[in-house]
Amino acid sequence: MPIPIVNSIASWFLKKRIHQIELFLKYPIDVQEELLKSLLQIAKNTELGKKYDFDSIKTYQEFTERIPITTYEEIEPLIERSRKGENNIFWPTPIKWFAKSSGTTTSKSKFIPVSNESLEDCHYAASKDLLCLYLNNNPDSQLFVGKSLRLGGSKELYEENGTVFGDLSAILIDNMPFWAEYSSTPSSEISLMPDWETKMQAIVDETIHENVTSLLGVPSWVLVLLNQVLESTGKNNLLEIWPNLEVYFHGGVSFDPYFEQYKKLLPKESFKYYEIYNASEGFFAIQDKNNSKDLLLMLDYGIFYEFIPMSSYRSSEEKIIPLSDVELGENYAIVITTNAGLWRYKIGDTIRFTSTNPYRIRVTGRTKHHINVFGEELIIENAEKALVKATKLTNCEIIDYTVAPIFMEGKEKGAHEWIIEFKDQPDDLNTFSILLDKFLQEANSDYEAKRFNNITLNFPKINIARTHLFYDWLKLNNKLGGQHKVPRLSNTREYLDELLNLNKKIN
């Protein structure tokens, strides 16, 4: 298809969709309320719909009183029945696909239902919206002159009892519409290769001959791929291979610790970075402005949102609020009701709102990935803000890290213990540690209070990881691949102790 025609089609769709986006920007609460009513009506004759009498629910208040908040463990029996081929349990249309997800390296796998509606009206709709918003902000873009290099998960798809499970990225690739296949690289055959290391080299071999104009994937894994591209080609930066490369669409983990490394690989002042926020459960938010860290919450993808202030999370005072009641600056756990049959489901992510007109957010971490052993309430956003500042002042670069508590023993106070794999180590680790501690205190007043005069927390302990430690650890746990993430913060020492032991071993 000639490029001018592709651009014309994209421009037409852009104008059409921007009008729909403006509708939920102008009437966000109305759109969400209508969506909730629609979901209840669609699912009223399902097993759950009859159990909770969805048909008689007329208000949000009745919805909250009737339907309980759920976690995966609580709905797992229903999902297992659905995976065995039973229909109409929590969603009326047959669910063939289940996204296998663990979030981090925990052995417990989740099988998240993916309906035809969520594929079309959420995941694929978001892919188109991402392009729309980007093109709307960059009318001179030459995105469609070339292809998008996408890096997804490494697992193939598996069939059982007539249903299929695998990484969400594999499900999306397997169901990909022709327009996405046409504009992407590598081929689906290579993208779905099960062996991660074999796949990485195959991607390099195929894509270095393509005209790549955009990148898509998780920052930590894309960085591994891009370094392999440079190593294979002997080039100094990516623009020598792909001169028309103009944007990187990223998500999955915070981009902040990797930004400086990407700037070196892509030394072009006009290069754009666009963040997305998606998960196996759905696609939630998209950066809608150039040079912004705020993400626009997408309100018409078949997902109804509720929020739990983290100040009350899992307490006897826990409260759940709708979108209309959120406040700026508060840290919230997200609860979703979706067009794949998840009802008032805790996804385990935390966000805060940076704007309520329109509703824009930043992802702050995971409900399970924080440290609050000593009342310090340290979250991933705090840690990464401090790391960025400390690395900048000590001219070092980080590949990966994790943090865990040193528990109090006898009269000995507690502390935080870090293990960090550096790409370039700081000249003086002690200076780096002092700065990191200083910036952590600036980012978190609870941590600062516990560190004051070492009242509760001693100075943090920093361990330097050997080269490829985190990669080896993920490989050992059979977790290599674009959707797997290193757990950053933990209230236990499980991950840290495994890494410290592996750190003693030489490859």
Side-chain angles (χ1 to χ4, degrees):
M1 191 181 294
I3 294 303
I5 296 175
V6 175
N7 278 331
S8 296
I9 293 171
S11 178
W12 172 82
F13 183 84
L14 163 66
K15 288 170 184 168
K16 182 184 172 188
R17 180 55 183 151
I18 288 295
H19 173 70
Q20 294 169 329
I21 291 172
E22 285 170 351
L23 187 68
F24 78 68
L25 292 179
K26 193 173 181 181
Y27 305 106
I29 306 307
D30 293 342
V31 167
Q32 278 280 283
E33 286 176 355
E34 285 302 313
L35 174 60
L36 177 59
K37 289 176 185 174
S38 172
L39 291 172
L40 289 166
Q41 278 302 301
I42 290 169
K44 67 183 180 182
N45 292 320
T46 61
E47 186 176 311
L48 273 187
K50 289 176 180 175
K51 178 179 179 181
Y52 296 115
D53 193 10
F54 284 3
D55 194 29
S56 70
I57 296 176
K58 304 302 178 191
T59 66
Y60 173 68
Q61 186 66 32
E62 289 174 349
F63 173 71
T64 61
E65 290 168 355
R66 197 87 54 86
I67 303 170
I69 295 287
T70 57
T71 62
Y72 183 81
E73 289 70 27
E74 288 162 331
I75 61 171
E76 187 176 19
L78 298 181
I79 287 176
E80 284 306 305
R81 284 173 54 200
S82 183
R83 286 185 63 215
K84 289 173 182 172
E86 276 192 64
N87 292 322
N88 209 36
I89 300 171
F90 42 78
W91 191 248
T93 59
I95 294 177
K96 181 185 178 183
W97 308 95
F98 292 85
K100 186 180 179 184
S101 166
S102 59
T104 61
T105 57
T106 53
S107 56
K108 174 73 175 174
S109 290
K110 298 177 182 177
F111 295 89
I112 306 299
V114 180
S115 66
N116 287 333
E117 291 88 345
S118 64
L119 268 179
E120 291 300 326
D121 301 335
C122 183
H123 293 290
Y124 290 138
S127 300
K128 289 180 275 192
D129 282 353
L130 178 61
L131 295 176
C132 280
L133 291 165
Y134 175 75
L135 292 171
N136 193 47
N137 294 330
N138 302 281
D140 297 330
S141 166
Q142 295 297 300
L143 206 61
F144 293 108
V145 169
K147 294 191 174 184
S148 174
L149 196 172
R150 60 169 190 254
L151 183 63
S154 63
K155 294 288 189 288
E156 55 195 319
L157 295 168
Y158 303 91
E159 187 165 348
E160 283 181 0
N161 306 305
T163 62
V164 179
F165 70 88
D167 277 4
L168 174 67
S169 59
I171 292 171
L172 295 179
I173 290 166
D174 198 60
N175 288 278
M176 190 178 288
F178 80 93
W179 56 266
E181 176 70 30
Y182 170 80
S183 60
S184 300
T185 188
S187 64
S188 295
E189 185 184 356
I190 290 175
S191 293
L192 294 172
M193 279 183 171
D195 183 77
W196 178 256
E197 290 169 323
T198 305
K199 181 171 88 166
M200 288 289 268
Q201 191 56 50
I203 291 174
V204 173
D205 294 341
E206 180 175 311
T207 58
I208 56 175
H209 303 295
E210 295 280 7
N211 177 21
V212 174
T213 54
S214 65
L215 305 170
L216 173 67
V218 176
S220 50
W221 290 112
V222 170
L223 197 58
V224 172
L225 172 66
L226 298 182
N227 282 320
Q228 199 163 326
V229 166
L230 292 180
E231 195 177 312
S232 295
T233 58
K235 302 294 185 183
N236 295 313
N237 67 66
L238 296 170
L239 300 175
E240 293 178 12
I241 305 159
W242 301 310
N244 297 314
L245 194 55
E246 64 176 77
V247 60
Y248 171 31
F249 301 109
H250 61 86
V253 298
S254 170
F255 188 54
D256 290 348
Y258 303 101
F259 180 56
E260 292 300 323
Q261 294 180 61
Y262 274 89
K263 275 174 67 177
K264 289 178 182 175
L265 296 180
L266 295 155
K268 182 162 78 171
E269 207 58 41
S270 61
F271 191 83
K272 304 289 191 302
Y273 298 92
Y274 263 62
E275 186 174 351
I276 58 176
Y277 172 32
N278 69 327
S280 298
E281 294 88 351
F283 206 118
F284 309 124
I286 300 172
Q287 179 182 326
D288 66 319
K289 297 188 295 184
N290 288 338
N291 307 314
S292 172
K293 291 187 176 181
D294 299 339
L295 310 183
L296 181 68
L297 193 63
M298 306 303 284
L299 302 177
D300 62 352
Y301 285 172
I303 300 172
F304 178 78
Y305 293 98
E306 296 176 273
F307 304 91
I308 304 173
M310 284 304 289
S311 54
S312 72
Y313 190 75
R314 284 186 176 167
S315 74
S316 57
E317 304 294 313
E318 182 175 276
K319 58 179 180 178
I320 298 96
I321 60 173
L323 185 65
S324 55
D325 291 353
V326 300
E327 296 178 1
L328 298 181
E330 176 82 56
N331 205 31
Y332 293 105
I334 303 180
V335 175
I336 58 172
T337 293
T338 77
N339 53 2
L342 296 175
W343 296 93
R344 307 197 80 200
Y345 177 82
K346 289 181 178 179
I347 62 172
D349 288 349
T350 60
I351 56 99
R352 63 182 170 84
F353 284 86
T354 57
S355 165
T356 54
N357 185 26
Y359 286 97
R360 289 197 180 97
I361 63 169
R362 292 192 187 182
V363 182
T364 54
R366 300 276 296 166
T367 54
K368 290 182 180 177
H369 296 172
H370 64 284
I371 303 182
N372 192 31
V373 172
F374 312 103
E376 67 275 49
E377 277 292 357
L378 193 73
I379 62 174
I380 292 172
E381 187 183 38
N382 303 151
E384 306 213 316
K385 194 177 284 185
L387 274 175
V388 168
K389 290 182 178 178
T391 52
K392 203 166 190 177
L393 287 176
T394 53
N395 297 314
C396 62
E397 292 180 354
I398 283 178
I399 293 174
D400 255 318
Y401 73 93
T402 196
V403 195
I406 298 174
F407 294 102
M408 294 177 175
E409 208 169 295
K411 293 182 179 179
E412 191 59 43
K413 291 166 186 169
H416 289 175
E417 185 168 6
W418 296 62
I419 186 162
I420 303 174
E421 184 178 340
F422 292 95
K423 185 182 181 188
D424 296 309
Q425 289 187 25
D427 293 332
D428 184 344
L429 185 63
N430 188 51
T431 300
F432 173 83
S433 302
I434 291 168
L435 287 170
L436 180 61
D437 182 52
K438 173 179 179 283
F439 294 133
L440 284 169
Q441 292 186 48
E442 287 180 6
N444 184 311
S445 58
D446 291 322
Y447 178 84
E448 181 185 33
K450 303 300 180 291
R451 283 283 299 118
F452 182 71
N453 289 335
N454 295 350
I455 286 175
T456 306
L457 284 174
N458 283 329
F459 188 75
K461 180 179 179 181
I462 314 289
N463 300 283
I464 295 180
R466 61 170 172 77
T467 304
H468 301 313
L469 174 68
F470 285 89
Y471 185 93
D472 292 344
W473 181 61
L474 288 165
K475 187 175 181 179
L476 201 63
N477 284 282
N478 194 31
K479 297 290 182 181
L480 287 182
Q483 289 190 303
H484 296 296
K485 307 156 198 167
V486 171
R488 299 304 194 196
L489 309 180
S490 176
N491 277 322
T492 76
R493 292 184 58 87
E494 178 190 354
Y495 307 124
L496 182 69
D497 285 340
E498 284 181 17
L499 283 157
L500 289 171
N501 286 330
L502 192 61
N503 201 37
K504 297 171 188 173
K505 299 174 184 176
I506 309 297
N507 278 352

